[in-house]
Amino acid sequence: MKILSKLKNIHFLSLMGTGGMSVLTFLLTAILYRSLSIKEIGIWFFFQSMLSFLDTFRQGFLSTAFVKFYAGSSPERGREVIGSTWYIATATTVILLLLSIPLLFIVYLIKDESLVFFAKFYAFNLMASLPMIVTMCIAQGDLKFGRLLYIRVFQVSFLILCVGFLIFTRQNNLVNLMYINIAASAITSIFCMLLGWSGIRFFSHRTRESTKEIFNFGKYTVGTSISSSLFGVTDTFVINFMLGPSALAVYNLGRRLMEVVEIPLRSFVATAMPALSSAFNQGNKEKLISTMGKYIGIITIGLVPFLIGTYIFAGYALAIIGGGKYNGTEAGSIAVNIFRISATIALLYPADRFMSVTLDAIHKPQINLYKVIIMVIINVATDFGGIYFFGNIYGLVAGTFIPILVGTIISYYHISRGYKRFSIVESYTNSFLEIKRFVFNGFKPDKKLSH
């Protein structure tokens, strides 16, 4: 019974949700790298990067704002927030669809294959995923991370089964792959609505005041959400247009193992916002800074052994994902080096990510927006500069260190000067001492720390 109760912990369920989907994504990636050419893989990942980035404007606009106003609210207030969220999500989708229409008229004038592929299928993916996106917001707000796990696993599992069928029938190509990708999102969305998880029945409960609250908060918090995917998108653009789809395929192969970092980050970010917001609403600055420091320190320290292991076994892991055409080749060696460089830089990710969430929690989401704009400009400059001066993809990968460092410094400055002073170094040292005590206590909580 004790084990079952621990398995129901929101941190564990959140980790299982992101981890389970990432394992399935690994499997899907391995299948695609074996069944498609290097060029086709590059086009596919260009599409996925663009889709993920643009959809972040929709998800980022909603997710944090939804949790902020929904969690702990009365039933009536909750229905208002769900209805208003549906209204904003629908409006955002329509706006993105309208912006994509001009692409359809000039698609035959575009010579780049990756852009043509994106222009043809973007709108269908956007519409198919709408109910699923709102459902995931509601599940997070209700702390039903088990439901999030079901939704994510169902979508990716369905996609894997369909890809397997295409390969078996020798119909695996980019167009058919896109059709089943759209179908996976659409069927998952229908599944969410039939089970009553989507909250679409509360659409009529929206209010002008609630919609305005979510909109005003969300227009800034979107900056936090896009920061995690921003660098990958700008890197994807630069590589695709300067080095070509084949180089993009190698880059994505090297970045694939970065899920080792992203799995715990995404899962704990999902649980950090309620904890930080609760401390802020109570006016407890010490608790808020302490909570943020623990997230930063413990996760950073926890990443170190994983990164050491992946450093050592990266070649084997990428050979499994990419298949024989990358094993022992120059492309495979480049992919391994890309991962090792990225993994080293990733030790800054927890500080950057959790301080961004903290800025949202203390009602300073606008700082995140300004910070992200600065980071975008720096990242684009280092991307072009890295390729120009080094003449290869390594310069681009190494250059991502600069915008992440700048973003971390900006967040630290505004939290330390505008809310409460703290030390990032102490976050690491205190977390190390806490982990040490935990280990020497036989993995039992320190009673002195529990009060």
Side-chain angles (χ1 to χ4, degrees):
M1 294 297 293
K2 289 183 178 180
I3 295 176
L4 288 176
S5 64
K6 289 181 180 179
L7 293 180
K8 292 180 181 179
N9 180 279
I10 60 171
H11 298 290
F12 179 81
L13 290 173
S14 179
L15 185 60
M16 283 296 295
T18 53
M21 191 180 72
S22 294
V23 170
L24 290 173
T25 303
F26 268 118
L27 177 58
L28 176 61
T29 302
I31 294 172
L32 294 179
Y33 267 97
R34 283 164 171 76
S35 60
L36 298 175
S37 68
I38 296 179
K39 183 178 180 181
E40 287 175 324
I41 283 291
I43 293 173
W44 175 255
F45 279 113
F46 177 86
F47 178 89
Q48 290 297 326
S49 295
M50 286 295 297
L51 177 65
S52 176
F53 178 66
L54 291 176
D55 200 40
T56 298
F57 283 94
R58 181 171 61 175
Q59 291 192 55
F61 199 93
L62 297 173
S63 57
T64 303
F66 178 85
V67 172
K68 180 73 176 175
F69 295 107
Y70 178 80
S73 63
S74 65
E76 179 58 34
R77 170 63 170 169
R79 288 190 287 271
E80 287 181 7
V81 174
I82 292 174
S84 300
T85 298
W86 258 106
Y87 179 80
I88 294 174
T90 304
T92 306
T93 301
V94 171
I95 291 171
L96 289 172
L97 287 173
L98 291 174
L99 292 175
S100 70
I101 290 176
L103 286 175
L104 298 176
F105 292 99
I106 63 173
V107 66
Y108 297 104
L109 301 176
I110 302 173
K111 295 182 180 180
D112 185 85
E113 292 181 65
S114 300
L115 277 178
V116 171
F117 191 71
F118 174 79
K120 287 181 177 179
F121 296 106
Y122 168 65
F124 298 104
N125 279 273
L126 197 67
M127 291 185 291
S129 62
L130 175 59
M132 180 177 66
I133 296 302
V134 179
T135 302
M136 292 171 73
C137 286
I138 296 172
Q140 184 180 346
D142 286 328
L143 298 180
K144 293 182 177 179
F145 292 99
R147 181 174 294 179
L148 278 175
L149 174 61
Y150 301 147
I151 295 170
R152 289 165 171 167
V153 170
F154 178 84
Q155 181 194 17
V156 181
S157 297
F158 180 85
L159 185 56
I160 290 173
L161 290 174
C162 290
V163 170
F165 177 77
L166 289 180
I167 295 173
F168 179 76
T169 57
R170 299 183 184 278
Q171 298 296 317
N172 54 307
N173 56 59
L174 278 177
V175 175
N176 287 338
L177 179 60
M178 181 53 63
Y179 288 152
I180 63 172
N181 188 68
I182 296 170
S185 295
I187 291 173
T188 304
S189 290
I190 293 171
F191 174 73
C192 291
M193 289 190 289
L194 290 177
L195 289 177
W197 293 351
S198 69
I200 194 170
R201 64 187 180 280
F202 300 128
F203 190 92
S204 61
H205 288 258
R206 72 187 188 279
T207 63
R208 181 184 179 88
E209 294 74 19
S210 181
T211 301
K212 188 176 180 180
E213 278 184 316
I214 296 171
F215 177 84
N216 287 336
F217 194 84
K219 67 185 179 183
Y220 292 117
T221 60
V222 69
T224 305
S225 299
I226 66 174
S227 64
S228 61
S229 60
L230 187 64
F231 305 115
V233 172
T234 52
D235 292 350
T236 295
F237 255 94
V238 174
I239 294 170
N240 184 71
F241 295 119
M242 292 188 72
L243 301 176
S246 296
L248 183 58
V250 175
Y251 171 79
N252 274 284
L253 178 61
R255 293 281 301 178
R256 187 53 47 188
L257 275 184
M258 288 304 293
E259 286 295 305
V260 173
V261 178
E262 289 295 340
I263 288 172
L265 273 182
R266 286 196 299 264
S267 61
F268 284 110
V269 163
T271 60
M273 185 61 183
L276 294 169
S277 295
S278 175
F280 177 79
N281 292 334
Q282 294 169 9
N284 194 335
K285 292 186 177 183
E286 290 286 347
K287 183 179 179 181
L288 188 147
I289 294 299
S290 173
T291 301
M292 179 194 71
K294 286 181 180 180
Y295 273 108
I296 293 173
I298 291 175
I299 293 177
T300 302
I301 294 169
L303 286 176
V304 173
F306 285 102
L307 293 181
I308 291 173
T310 48
Y311 259 64
I312 297 170
F313 299 107
Y316 300 104
L318 291 176
I320 293 172
I321 298 172
K325 60 180 146 182
Y326 295 94
N327 191 19
T329 65
E330 181 183 2
S333 297
I334 294 173
V336 170
N337 291 334
I338 288 173
F339 165 71
R340 287 173 175 156
I341 296 170
S342 300
T344 304
I345 297 171
L347 289 173
L348 275 178
Y349 285 6
D352 173 54
R353 205 73 59 86
F354 287 108
M355 280 196 286
S356 293
V357 174
T358 299
L359 284 170
D360 285 340
I362 64 175
H363 289 289
K364 293 188 177 182
Q366 69 276 14
I367 302 300
N368 276 323
L369 181 60
Y370 305 147
K371 181 189 73 175
V372 167
I373 292 173
I374 294 171
M375 292 171 73
V376 173
I377 295 171
I378 295 174
N379 194 61
V380 172
T382 55
D383 280 353
F384 281 106
I387 292 179
Y388 178 79
F389 288 109
F390 291 91
N392 55 47
I393 203 169
Y394 293 134
L396 178 145
V397 178
T400 58
F401 169 78
I402 299 175
I404 295 173
L405 178 62
V406 170
T408 302
I409 292 172
I410 292 173
S411 295
Y412 172 78
Y413 174 83
H414 285 281
I415 296 172
S416 185
R417 294 293 296 273
Y419 185 69
K420 181 176 175 56
R421 284 190 171 278
F422 72 100
S423 168
I424 296 181
V425 175
E426 285 185 8
S427 297
Y428 297 130
T429 55
N430 291 342
S431 296
F432 176 77
L433 292 174
E434 190 165 331
I435 292 172
K436 184 179 177 181
R437 281 193 295 265
F438 182 66
V439 172
F440 280 101
N441 278 347
F443 298 98
K444 295 179 181 178
D446 191 332
K447 292 182 180 180
K448 294 179 180 179
L449 297 173
S450 62
H451 298 286

